Amino acid sequence: MRTALASVLCLVALQTGCSDDLTWRAVDRMIAANYPDVPFISTDSLAERLSTPTAPRPVLLDARSPEEYAVSHLPGARRVDPSADAYPALDTLASDTPIVVYCSVGYRSAGVAQALRAQGFTAVANLKGSIFRWANEGRPVYREGAQVSTVHPYDATWGRLLADSLRAPLSSETHVQ
């Protein structure tokens, strides 16, 4: 019941044009209600880890569609299918390898993080606010190794959480189903 209520409140916040702060709080609560055992890492903490040469660099996993990933992604991120049951490309990683998973706002990536934890990975975290929050804070995103200034908005509803100036146009070729 709690997870359904959190989901409804999140959608209401998105649809009614609540403040960004209130909407993000609703999104964060929805994710926490549906994935209570998945730890998260803040965008500030991830940025610090990525910029500190002595810190172990986490494996970055992008849990969005190929179309979303093609528009932009975090530096060095590998795309994974959020609906997959297993991730054989990660079989060579030690179970304590630091892994950070992200998507648009953090919901799909929380599911992937939960699945990875169930498969024995012990240092997995979900990026709180995911690529939308990361880009909204002015952090770099990349396409084919070059820094770019747009992010795929997922759809018209969820895309409201992404700054207008960052939102890549939705077209029939880039729309996510």
Side-chain angles (χ1 to χ4, degrees):
M1 177 71 168
R2 182 178 171 196
T3 59
L5 180 59
S7 297
V8 168
L9 289 174
C10 182
L11 290 174
V12 167
L14 277 167
Q15 295 291 339
T16 59
C18 289
S19 72
D20 285 351
D21 184 51
L22 182 60
T23 304
W24 273 112
R25 281 188 287 163
V27 168
D28 293 341
R29 284 189 180 145
M30 177 186 69
I31 294 166
N34 285 287
Y35 298 100
D37 298 326
V38 173
F40 68 86
I41 184 171
S42 70
T43 52
D44 287 339
S45 294
L46 178 59
E48 185 176 324
R49 283 184 69 182
L50 294 177
S51 67
T52 305
T54 56
R57 184 175 176 86
V59 173
L60 299 176
L61 299 179
D62 186 314
R64 298 178 301 149
S65 71
E67 296 80 13
E68 291 170 281
Y69 181 86
V71 171
S72 64
H73 47 269
L74 271 60
R78 306 178 194 179
R79 197 194 80 75
V80 294
D81 182 350
S83 63
D85 293 327
Y87 305 96
L90 305 179
D91 285 348
T92 59
L93 297 179
S95 63
D96 63 346
T97 300
I99 299 172
V100 174
V101 191
Y102 71 91
C103 60
S104 295
V105 298
Y107 191 82
R108 290 175 286 174
S109 53
V112 171
Q114 180 172 282
L116 289 171
R117 290 173 55 82
Q119 291 173 22
F121 288 98
T122 59
V124 180
N126 188 28
L127 181 59
K128 187 174 184 177
S130 282
I131 197 169
F132 283 10
R133 187 171 283 158
W134 178 271
N136 284 343
E137 293 169 349
R139 301 185 198 283
V141 293
Y142 294 84
R143 177 178 45 240
E144 298 176 1
Q147 190 171 338
V148 296
S149 60
T150 58
V151 174
H152 193 291
Y154 184 73
D155 66 17
T157 300
W158 289 101
R160 293 176 185 172
L161 289 170
L162 187 60
D164 291 345
S165 62
L166 298 170
R167 204 175 301 137
L170 278 175
S171 70
S172 60
E173 297 159 6
T174 61
H175 184 69
V176 177
Q177 297 294 330

